[in-house]
Amino acid sequence: MLTQRDLDEIEDRLKETFITKEDFTGYKSELFNKLDKIVKNTSDTHEEIELIENRVSKLEATPQVTP
């Protein structure tokens, strides 16, 4: 038969092996914050590329004067 001490020992070993719900929630929040930054950066980069492409298109459409 298991004693309370045995159950406490099992619980302690499980805590060392598995993460708690609070630990997971903290990890998940940190991960999503990092992913949000990556998505925003990617979106900003895409918008910058569109602006540059528009500028290049306008330059290419403008007649160039050659000496």
Side-chain angles (χ1 to χ4, degrees):
M1 178 167 193
L2 293 174
T3 65
Q4 184 61 41
R5 183 175 177 195
D6 294 333
L7 293 174
D8 291 341
E9 180 67 24
I10 291 170
E11 184 179 346
D12 289 342
R13 288 189 183 191
L14 288 174
K15 284 181 182 177
E16 293 172 6
T17 305
F18 298 102
I19 63 171
T20 64
K21 183 177 181 180
E22 292 80 21
D23 291 338
F24 178 74
T25 301
Y27 169 77
K28 183 178 78 169
S29 294
E30 183 180 329
L31 177 65
F32 282 136
N33 287 338
K34 288 180 181 180
L35 287 174
D36 285 343
K37 289 178 185 178
I38 291 170
V39 168
K40 182 178 180 338
N41 188 6
T42 303
S43 176
D44 291 347
T45 301
H46 181 70
E47 289 174 9
E48 288 176 14
I49 288 172
E50 287 180 359
L51 290 172
I52 292 171
E53 286 175 344
N54 287 338
R55 289 179 188 166
V56 169
S57 295
K58 287 180 183 177
L59 285 174
E60 290 174 346
T62 305
Q64 300 293 322
V65 177
T66 56

